[in-house]
Amino acid sequence: MHATTTSLNQSIRPASTAKKPRNFRWRVVDIVVASVIGVASGVIFWAWGLAWSPLSAILAFTPGLEGLLAGGWLFAGVLGGLIIRKPGAAVYTEVVAAVVSMLIGTQWGFSTLIWGVVEGLGAEIILALFLYTNWRLGVALLAGAGAGAAVGFLDTTFTSYAALDFGYKAVYFVSAVVSGTVLAGLLSWLAVRGLARTGALSRFAAGREGSRAPSAAIS
Amino acid sequence: MSLLTPTIRPSVVARLNPVAKLAVALIVSCALLLSIDWVSAGVALLLEAGLLLWCGLSARQFLLRTAPVWIAAPMAAVTTVLYGEDSGALLWQFGFISVTEGSTQLGLAIGLRVLAIGLPGIVLLATTDPTDLADGLAQVLRLPARFVLGGLAGLRLVGMFIEDWHSLTLARRARGVGDGGGPRGAARRFFGPAFSLLVISVRRGSKLATAMEARGFGSDEPRTWARPSRVRAADAVLVGIGFAIAGIAIGVAVWAETWSFILA
Amino acid sequence: MLHTPPFPAGHDAQIRAVQIRASGWGWRHAGRHNQAVSGLDLQIEPGERVLLLGASGAGKSTLVHALAGVLGDAEDGDETGSLLIDGRRAAEARGRVGLVLQDPDSQVVLARVGDDVAFGCENLAVPRAEIWPRVRQALTEVGLNLPLDHPTSSLSGGQKQRLALAGVLAMRPGLLLLDEPTANLDPDGVIEVRDAVVRSLDRSGATFVVIEHRVEVWQDVVDRVIVLDPAGGVLADGPTREILSRQGERLATAGVWVPALPPRFPTRSPIAPAETLLRAEGLAVGRVPFGRRAASVVAAGITLNLRAGTATVVTGPNGAGKSTLALTLAGLLKPAGGTLQASDKFAAGIASEPHRWRSQQLLTRIGTVFQDPEHQFLAATVRADLLIGPHALGLSAAEQTSRVDELMHRLRLDHLADANPFTLSGGEKRRMSVATVLATRPRLLVLDEPTFGQDSRTWQELVTLLAELLDEGTALVAVTHDAQFVSALADEEYRLGTPDPIRLGAGAL
Ligand SMILES: Nc1ncnc2c1ncn2[C@@H]1O[C@H](COP(=O)(O)OP(=O)(O)OP(=O)(O)O)[C@@H](O)[C@H]1O
Ligand SMILES: Nc1ncnc2c1ncn2[C@@H]1O[C@H](COP(=O)(O)OP(=O)(O)OP(=O)(O)O)[C@@H](O)[C@H]1O
Ligand SMILES: [Mg+2]
Ligand SMILES: [Mg+2]
């Protein structure tokens, strides 16, 4: 019995490991799961928005460091990009998250959507620069930084921070980038690893990379 | 029936096309984003107040839904007064903090702007059923159906979070890992289910995608829509009102010479 | 004996029945070593009605997923041979095919009942004017008499199954695929739904493949049975009556429920003093809706005595509140009214209301199997998940392993020890969820639909296991629609809605 299973495996394995052309079309499962991640992140965005007011009031004593809080709104895009691995995933997930937080109700109203688009683009551009083929930690961190830079630019140009001195703005911008790198880049990368380990991502390349090792161990 | 899929009471606003509501919120927001001054924000807020009166939300619901804005607006205002760009006479100084005529005015402008941008968005969307919104996005704006409906499915799955959380805690209790373990146990009991929730939703999402495909969803063939999403005269009027609010707000601010274009 | 449609003239002109050809077809799920299906050669002609049988885990669901074109691509598994729908690959024929999945819980797409049923029609581009009459008709046919704007989130297990069926019937596809469509339905519902399906087929003339372990439900309305062999290929294929009578013996040993050869019921040796463990008096059960404080009661006035060594079954129509009652008896939901009290001996020094017990205290006293098995999976592999309970009890490592190994062996799960619980077949999931509870040996077992989706062999194994536990003095409450389970085990039947429990079997003596 065991022998037959192994021989079956051997005859089949090559087909699965053969290099397939990358398919960039979104499957239905890509869309739904990206939406699920987006919506769940949106709820966190909203909660983060509530916590933001008191936190930023505290950080306001340290000029410009409020930017450190921006990362709480940036992880969705990186997370979606890392899981779905298709062009547009980062923008889509971030926008869905922004819209959902807006649906529940944020003080930024409709501008949340605009912010979501630009933040998503910030991460997306980095993933695109790597041609959607590299999903290592470094790229995740860079994507987070990209989203941070995007929000740093938006906040210091179009919000109440636009009224602040240049020094404030510079500090704000840098802390937004740092925040994006850590909260969006690092945390998302860790979350994808955790999700993959539970087997929940079995229909995604992101989930199978991690699970290949144990399955090989059994055979 | 949950946080994300509220029960919508029938009202004039609830019957308007969601896309028209979105358009109004977008128009007013964009107009107000162009400048930081208290006149344009104040005028817009006044005009909106007229609209919000007949939005069909009860006073309690209205306050509940808009609570974030009512908290955020004064916070944003105070922060700006204390740390905003200074100009004009110095009113008060304490170390880093300086309050000037200029920063006070900015603070007022920011507070009003948060209200004027926040309120219409929340109220208009609190009176909109997500399914109707999806219908509108796909039929009126012609966004791709695969994405609109996939997104709607995702929204519904997460809308069941509270229910899922409930059954997850029941299951953990039944399996003997529902309590005990001191503070570390408590943390595990919060983060355990919180992560499981994400895991379950992703899994549900994967399965739901299969179920949707099993009912013919996902091809590029044209599909029909069981619920028509039409733009009626009332919707056009609403969008007109949106433009009017934006125009009047900007007009009054320019006339009062408080308008300060943000990119200038 | 090919099926001759009774009303050829009434056929919907636009529906073309689908033809199926499989040659040497096989599939291995990504991450699995064994083929789910292999070496399958099959021809199904347009308009044929087929009952697909086979042991639990034989690959039936995998096959119908493939027919519906939803198995996925090379990323999801390895395909061998060919499977053609009207001469095209199945994934390209999607839309000609309607499939009801095995798990009713995960296939609700939209938030309102009416919209959900309309979803399939919209995807097939049915004109709007035609959609709503179809939706209403489908809902009536499956016996789901709810307003079109009823929220789908508050349906019971059986109601969800009816909803999923209505959604596919309304599509009127050229190939109708049903994966255990009646597993969660009450006995009247089973007949009602089957007749609805047959009416729909008579009208459309579509090709039909149904998976169902209980042969007697469908045997009179299908032309042909195909029995999948877990080792690959088909075990039997041919006209229903002929196969069941000629090869009945062989099929029964392979796990098929052959109506003429029912599985043997275990012999019970009831224990003498059946002491009461838990007593419900005037109990009302319900769930607390989100955002409110008081429970909305779904069933009230329940008086029950749960005694050691005694099996009580709870029956009743879909949506009657059986699952809610089970969760309440299990100490997981707070009673909405009346009293629920454990005997002093059962409580053994803690409070007498089960809902106030701590999770650890519950573990050795009451074990619960949820209606949806997925709700109770916590770990990433079958073995790890089964070990959770024994570990929480603080048993020695050797004891933990021996308990779990024995259970996995008896419930035929040993070859799946390292599989992810969520990727199991429907029947395997059910057995696994029962196993998680048995691993801690509680004194009272609360099982919600413990036997659904089981082939006759695993059914017998499960029932025997439960009978042994009963003889050792375990008390059992089972919510079930399975009449054979009731005959095999029940001492008392509580029919939700009737004032008193009905005494059966040993209890009646
Ligand atoms: N998504 C999946 N990933 C990995 N393995 C799977 C997956 N789905 C099913 N399997 C495995 O493939 C085999 C066949 O499963 P399938 O669901 O087709 O069985 P089935 O005949 O429908 O059984 P049942 O009567 O219990 O529903 C099983 O061993 C199962 O564990
Ligand atoms: N999660 C829930 N939230 C709100 N209402 C629910 C929920 N689950 C079930 N209900 C409602 O409670 C009632 C009883 O449901 P329950 O699941 O106990 O029925 P049941 O007797 O187990 O039915 P079935 O045989 O279909 O499983 C039903 O009318 C159902 O609509
Ligand atoms: Mg199956
Ligand atoms: Mg039930």
Side-chain angles (χ1 to χ4, degrees), chain C residues 478-490:
Chain C
V479 171
T480 192
H481 295 300
D482 177 355
Q484 258 152 329
F485 181 83
V486 176
S487 331
L489 282 184

mmCIF file of all heavy atoms in Angstrom, chain C residues 478-490:
data_model
loop_
_atom_site.group_PDB
_atom_site.id
_atom_site.type_symbol
_atom_site.label_atom_id
_atom_site.label_comp_id
_atom_site.label_asym_id
_atom_site.label_seq_id
_atom_site.Cartn_x
_atom_site.Cartn_y
_atom_site.Cartn_z
ATOM 1 N N ALA C 478 -28.732 13.369 21.966
ATOM 2 C CA ALA C 478 -28.384 13.572 20.569
ATOM 3 C C ALA C 478 -29.532 14.254 19.843
ATOM 4 O O ALA C 478 -30.674 13.817 19.932
ATOM 5 C CB ALA C 478 -28.052 12.244 19.909
ATOM 6 N N VAL C 479 -29.205 15.341 19.159
ATOM 7 C CA VAL C 479 -30.161 15.962 18.261
ATOM 8 C C VAL C 479 -30.010 15.249 16.937
ATOM 9 O O VAL C 479 -28.880 15.124 16.442
ATOM 10 C CB VAL C 479 -29.840 17.454 18.086
ATOM 11 C CG1 VAL C 479 -30.695 18.036 16.977
ATOM 12 C CG2 VAL C 479 -30.044 18.200 19.383
ATOM 13 N N THR C 480 -31.086 14.755 16.371
ATOM 14 C CA THR C 480 -30.893 14.004 15.125
ATOM 15 C C THR C 480 -32.145 13.965 14.263
ATOM 16 O O THR C 480 -33.265 14.107 14.746
ATOM 17 C CB THR C 480 -30.433 12.563 15.434
ATOM 18 O OG1 THR C 480 -29.994 11.954 14.229
ATOM 19 C CG2 THR C 480 -31.532 11.740 16.062
ATOM 20 N N HIS C 481 -31.913 13.823 12.955
ATOM 21 C CA HIS C 481 -33.010 13.565 12.019
ATOM 22 C C HIS C 481 -32.931 12.129 11.517
ATOM 23 O O HIS C 481 -33.708 11.721 10.668
ATOM 24 C CB HIS C 481 -32.913 14.498 10.810
ATOM 25 C CG HIS C 481 -33.100 15.943 11.135
ATOM 26 N ND1 HIS C 481 -34.242 16.438 11.703
ATOM 27 C CD2 HIS C 481 -32.292 17.010 10.964
ATOM 28 C CE1 HIS C 481 -34.139 17.748 11.874
ATOM 29 N NE2 HIS C 481 -32.950 18.118 11.441
ATOM 30 N N ASP C 482 -31.958 11.385 12.042
ATOM 31 C CA ASP C 482 -31.644 10.066 11.521
ATOM 32 C C ASP C 482 -32.502 9.007 12.227
ATOM 33 O O ASP C 482 -32.267 8.650 13.373
ATOM 34 C CB ASP C 482 -30.138 9.831 11.762
ATOM 35 C CG ASP C 482 -29.677 8.453 11.324
ATOM 36 O OD1 ASP C 482 -30.525 7.631 10.920
ATOM 37 O OD2 ASP C 482 -28.459 8.214 11.390
ATOM 38 N N ALA C 483 -33.514 8.489 11.514
ATOM 39 C CA ALA C 483 -34.460 7.551 12.135
ATOM 40 C C ALA C 483 -33.765 6.275 12.582
ATOM 41 O O ALA C 483 -34.107 5.692 13.609
ATOM 42 C CB ALA C 483 -35.581 7.219 11.146
ATOM 43 N N GLN C 484 -32.755 5.844 11.803
ATOM 44 C CA GLN C 484 -32.056 4.624 12.175
ATOM 45 C C GLN C 484 -31.266 4.799 13.462
ATOM 46 O O GLN C 484 -31.177 3.894 14.281
ATOM 47 C CB GLN C 484 -31.119 4.196 11.049
ATOM 48 C CG GLN C 484 -31.734 3.065 10.250
ATOM 49 C CD GLN C 484 -31.251 3.065 8.830
ATOM 50 O OE1 GLN C 484 -30.946 4.113 8.268
ATOM 51 N NE2 GLN C 484 -31.191 1.896 8.250
ATOM 52 N N PHE C 485 -30.703 5.968 13.632
ATOM 53 C CA PHE C 485 -29.972 6.263 14.859
ATOM 54 C C PHE C 485 -30.925 6.174 16.042
ATOM 55 O O PHE C 485 -30.600 5.615 17.089
ATOM 56 C CB PHE C 485 -29.345 7.649 14.757
ATOM 57 C CG PHE C 485 -28.535 8.055 15.951
ATOM 58 C CD1 PHE C 485 -27.218 7.650 16.079
ATOM 59 C CD2 PHE C 485 -29.084 8.849 16.953
ATOM 60 C CE1 PHE C 485 -26.466 8.018 17.181
ATOM 61 C CE2 PHE C 485 -28.342 9.228 18.063
ATOM 62 C CZ PHE C 485 -27.028 8.801 18.174
ATOM 63 N N VAL C 486 -32.129 6.721 15.845
ATOM 64 C CA VAL C 486 -33.118 6.686 16.915
ATOM 65 C C VAL C 486 -33.453 5.242 17.263
ATOM 66 O O VAL C 486 -33.450 4.841 18.429
ATOM 67 C CB VAL C 486 -34.399 7.469 16.510
ATOM 68 C CG1 VAL C 486 -35.468 7.346 17.579
ATOM 69 C CG2 VAL C 486 -34.065 8.923 16.239
ATOM 70 N N SER C 487 -33.705 4.407 16.211
ATOM 71 C CA SER C 487 -34.051 3.012 16.504
ATOM 72 C C SER C 487 -32.895 2.275 17.171
ATOM 73 O O SER C 487 -33.101 1.418 18.010
ATOM 74 C CB SER C 487 -34.428 2.251 15.228
ATOM 75 O OG SER C 487 -34.978 3.107 14.292
ATOM 76 N N ALA C 488 -31.681 2.614 16.760
ATOM 77 C CA ALA C 488 -30.536 1.865 17.253
ATOM 78 C C ALA C 488 -30.215 2.188 18.705
ATOM 79 O O ALA C 488 -29.820 1.298 19.453
ATOM 80 C CB ALA C 488 -29.322 2.132 16.385
ATOM 81 N N LEU C 489 -30.345 3.425 19.110
ATOM 82 C CA LEU C 489 -29.802 3.819 20.397
ATOM 83 C C LEU C 489 -30.785 4.408 21.397
ATOM 84 O O LEU C 489 -30.602 4.285 22.595
ATOM 85 C CB LEU C 489 -28.672 4.838 20.199
ATOM 86 C CG LEU C 489 -27.303 4.323 19.768
ATOM 87 C CD1 LEU C 489 -26.332 5.464 19.733
ATOM 88 C CD2 LEU C 489 -26.812 3.236 20.709
ATOM 89 N N ALA C 490 -31.837 5.095 20.879
ATOM 90 C CA ALA C 490 -32.576 5.968 21.775
ATOM 91 C C ALA C 490 -33.367 5.210 22.837
ATOM 92 O O ALA C 490 -34.029 4.212 22.547
ATOM 93 C CB ALA C 490 -33.522 6.846 20.959
#
